[in-house]
Amino acid sequence: MTSDSTLRDAASRWIAADPDPATRAELEALLDRAGDDPVAAEDLADRLAGPLEFGTAGLRGPVRAGPNGMNVAVVTRTTAGVAQWLKGHGHAGALVVVGRDARHGSEAFATAATEVLTAAGFDVKVFPRPLPTPVLAFAVGRLGAVAGIQVTASHNPPADNGYKLYDATGGQIVPPSDGEIERAIEAAPPAADVPRAPGAEVVDLLPRYLDEVATLPLGHERAVRVAATALHGVGADTLRAAFERAGFTDLHLVGAQTAPDPDFPTVSFPNPEEPGATDLLLALASDVDADLAIALDPDADRCALGVRERDGRWRMLRGDETGVLLGSYVLSTVDRTTLPDPLVATTIVSSSMLGEIAKAEGARYAETLTGFKWLVRAGVGLVFAYEEALGLCVNPGFVRDKDGIAAATLAAGLAAQLKAQGRTPLDVLDELAQRHGVHLTDQVSLRVTDLAVRGQLMAKVRQMPPSRLGGVEVALEDLLPDADVVRLTGEGVRVVVRPSGTEPKLKAYLQVVAPVTDALADARGAAQERLAALRADVEELLA
């Protein structure tokens, strides 16, 4: 905004076009304070700085009034744009499914989306209550919908909400769809002028989804004790129902985190990857003498596993450890008479061990750009996909996205089989390391306040790439124009650097690989030393 008057004019126009009296009043009050309060003036400018960007992850931002926030007006105009995009692709009047989580504003946003689509002539079906995102992805495919909308901010902070869009494939949208939709949103009328109408049909696809989860290759053993948390999200009831349907009865949930609560009172950041987020889970696992710990993120599309170390202490597995653990198990269960050429996939920033496992099993392997929108499009015959950020798809046959509920259920089946054999997931990870080498991964994440800094650092790496990292010579591979990513590789070393797509961060993903020629402990120790040296070099590179 170039002046106070321009700012006030823009605020007044937005207020006049906002159909929600609550956010109209919110912005009016802020506008009144902005004349005398510099903090309020700065807040107002931020809310009007521009519309939330619609990308392949849809929308995500703070719940607040104004175009640069998640609110009924923004959701209304966004859905009007989605409706025009669908009509432009020949889908007028077709079926669209709408779901939601339990975050602040989710019910109102889902209602706005369903009413805009209904008024636009679409056949709209909506879930009766907050449900995990994988159930929405399942419903798109099972009902033959041309699109699905899930109102969720996944594992973002409590203040946020979001809007995730699936296309007719049952997967999240990919370019150029995001750009086409963004232009359609820009052309949409003011929110108050967008027609809305009730009449969406309420449907419950959860029983059919649970039936499918129960068909996963769970083995015959059911004697396993699991501690789990939903981190105040919507996953607890669905996880409990999935376990019951599959025959796992010894489930213990973290009571303080079981009921959906949009304020997430027991965690500072509702992401299983964050330090402290799983403290209550691991304490429960220890108290009940569990065989496995499971953490879902708030919309239950991600799944983290926790295990007891041999000294009795509990820890969460890294995403790559869980990925190779479940990936190797899925490959061992594939019926090669019906699927002789299975495919497994991960991303360019995840551990490369899955590729070694696939080679040993005679399966195909693919690496894609980051994001499940790419992973589920990795190729025909896909049986498993994962990304290091706790995304797991163990069931691409009926959910073309990451699915924490299905992954948790499969993990329980694996843990039960291992327990019956007197083994644990750690034994399997040791065996994989012995067979394919120690693969250690880590991440260097640089948070920035000025997004331009990310571009400057990426340019620095491209123009002056290091010749050595972690004590070995490395060569640079630039993935432009396909992706703003650089890859630095050397003997047993790999570093992938990219800007985050959802956060103001520059991320570097590190991997070292060491063969096991003698004792596994010695190989792991040497790899840890090499990883520490690599991390120090990368931190200096991005300083």
Side-chain angles (χ1 to χ4, degrees), residues 15-389:
I15 291 167
D18 189 342
D20 184 350
T23 45
R24 281 203 308 270
E26 178 186 333
L27 202 59
E28 285 170 347
L30 184 62
L31 181 60
D32 288 342
R33 297 197 310 272
D36 303 317
D37 183 348
V39 175
E42 184 178 353
D43 186 9
L44 182 66
D46 185 50
R47 292 171 185 241
L48 298 167
L52 284 182
E53 180 182 351
F54 191 95
T56 54
L59 297 174
R60 203 170 291 184
V63 178
R64 61 182 185 178
N68 195 19
M70 280 293 297
N71 52 68
V72 168
V74 165
V75 169
T76 297
R77 294 190 71 245
T78 297
T79 309
V82 169
Q84 285 303 115
W85 173 72
L86 288 170
K87 290 178 179 179
H89 284 268
H91 297 309
L95 172 62
V96 180
V97 190
V98 179
R100 62 182 172 94
D101 67 9
R103 282 179 176 262
H104 290 296
S106 285
E107 185 172 7
F109 301 159
T111 298
T114 58
E115 291 185 352
V116 170
L117 289 165
T118 300
F122 289 88
D123 176 12
V124 186
K125 299 188 188 301
V126 62
F127 290 165
R129 60 191 178 280
L131 285 170
T133 295
V135 182
L136 185 280
F138 167 78
V140 173
R142 181 51 55 94
L143 297 177
V146 297
I149 295 166
Q150 177 79 351
V151 177
T152 180
S154 188
H155 55 278
N156 270 40
D160 289 358
N161 210 327
Y163 181 109
K164 186 179 292 186
L165 182 64
Y166 293 80
D167 64 19
T169 69
Q172 295 179 51
I173 61 168
V174 295
S177 295
D178 55 336
E180 294 170 354
I181 294 168
E182 190 163 35
R183 289 188 290 275
I185 296 169
E186 291 171 357
D193 297 334
V194 174
R196 290 175 55 172
E201 179 187 358
V202 177
V203 296
D204 190 353
L205 270 288
L206 182 59
R208 294 166 70 179
Y209 167 79
L210 294 173
D211 286 343
E212 293 284 0
V213 172
T215 68
L216 292 170
L218 305 174
H220 301 294
E221 303 293 338
R222 294 294 183 271
V224 63
R225 179 168 297 167
V226 177
T229 180
L231 288 183
H232 301 292
V234 297
D237 287 346
T238 303
L239 180 66
R240 185 188 290 112
F243 271 38
E244 289 176 355
R245 188 75 57 95
F248 299 109
T249 58
D250 200 353
L251 174 65
H252 302 257
L253 291 165
V254 176
Q257 298 174 334
T258 296
D261 189 331
D263 293 320
F264 302 98
T266 68
V267 291
S268 58
F269 203 112
N271 180 350
E273 291 182 292
E274 291 293 321
T278 58
D279 285 355
L280 292 179
L281 169 66
L282 297 183
L284 175 64
S286 179
D287 289 345
V288 301
D289 193 25
D291 302 302
L292 183 70
I294 294 173
L296 303 174
D297 75 336
D299 70 329
D301 64 349
R302 286 175 169 82
C303 172
L305 302 184
V307 297
R308 182 166 38 202
E309 290 280 10
R310 293 180 176 88
D311 63 4
R313 291 179 298 176
W314 279 84
R315 73 169 177 94
M316 300 305 293
L317 296 179
R318 298 182 65 88
D320 282 315
E321 291 177 303
T322 300
V324 298
L325 178 72
L326 295 186
S328 63
Y329 174 62
V330 168
L331 275 177
S332 74
T333 67
V334 173
D335 182 353
R336 296 301 181 92
T337 60
T338 59
L339 189 59
D341 194 23
L343 170 69
V344 295
T346 190
T347 70
I348 59 173
V349 304
S350 301
S351 170
S352 61
M353 183 187 275
L354 185 62
E356 298 302 315
I357 295 169
K359 187 188 304 180
E361 294 288 338
R364 288 177 296 129
Y365 169 72
E367 288 184 2
T368 74
L369 298 176
T370 55
F372 255 85
K373 58 184 177 288
W374 300 118
L375 279 171
V376 296
R377 292 172 168 87
V380 296
L382 184 69
V383 296
F384 175 81
Y386 93 93
E387 59 184 355
E388 48 77 38

